Amino acid sequence: MVTYLIIILIIAVAIAPLASALPSKAQRREAQLRSYASSIGLTIKLEPIPDIPARFRFSPSPNLVAYRLRDASGEDRVQDKLLLLREGEQWIDTLTESALKLPNDGLLVGEVAVLNRGVATVFWNEKGDEADVDRLHQLLRDLLAFQR
């Protein structure tokens, strides 16, 4: 009987590291969201958010991920970088401190948005599902259309 217990203990010690290497449920959900976003043409980057002027007293959520959409025809555009913050139910331009009117104002996904030379980026905490990724995709398209 003791021999069986020792064998079971040895097997458990051998299997434990393998079980810890498996992705968690949250990691699988993030991977699924990112895979879906890639399939609809978005680029996902793990990068720090741009510097936000101190006057906004902005404290971002931890673990924001950059979701990006590129407009190939907009790369030649010479336009200043546009940095937007989401405050409540609207996006605020940090340069003019005015609210930005977008066609679909109800698409409030993300916390920080950047438009720069035909590239729209929204920093998002990935709390949501595929419908939120679709809303994010529409928001990025609206931002690119706004930049024109």
Side-chain angles (χ1 to χ4, degrees):
M1 184 69 173
V2 174
T3 308
Y4 290 119
L5 289 175
I6 292 173
I7 291 172
I8 290 173
L9 181 66
I10 291 171
I11 291 173
V13 167
I15 292 177
L18 297 175
S20 68
L22 296 174
S24 70
K25 187 175 182 180
Q27 290 170 328
R28 285 193 303 270
R29 189 189 64 77
E30 283 178 358
Q32 180 184 5
L33 282 177
R34 292 175 185 175
S35 174
Y36 177 70
S38 292
S39 73
I40 60 174
L42 301 180
T43 304
I44 298 95
K45 300 274 185 186
L46 300 174
E47 62 185 45
I49 65 169
D51 292 331
I52 307 296
R55 68 182 178 274
F56 288 98
R57 294 187 176 106
F58 178 74
S59 58
S61 298
N63 305 321
L64 292 177
V65 177
Y67 281 71
R68 184 169 288 142
L69 184 63
R70 181 178 305 275
D71 179 9
S73 65
E75 292 178 2
D76 299 337
R77 225 175 272 136
V78 180
Q79 182 176 7
D80 291 334
K81 183 177 179 178
L82 185 62
L83 177 62
L84 307 169
L85 294 179
R86 191 181 89 194
E87 288 190 3
E89 297 294 314
Q90 59 189 356
W91 287 97
I92 304 294
D93 181 351
T94 58
L95 186 60
T96 64
E97 296 187 24
S98 60
L100 189 69
K101 285 292 183 193
L102 294 173
N104 297 298
D105 278 341
L107 302 174
L108 294 172
V109 178
E111 296 185 28
V112 177
V114 179
L115 282 101
N116 194 13
R117 299 183 64 113
V119 178
T121 304
V122 172
F123 290 85
W124 181 44
N125 61 9
E126 297 184 311
K127 302 244 187 280
D129 56 14
E130 290 182 0
D132 291 310
V133 175
D134 288 333
R135 283 193 285 280
L136 181 67
H137 187 226
Q138 183 60 50
L139 172 63
L140 289 165
R141 286 191 304 222
D142 289 347
L143 289 169
L144 286 172
F146 174 80
Q147 191 180 22
R148 290 183 184 152

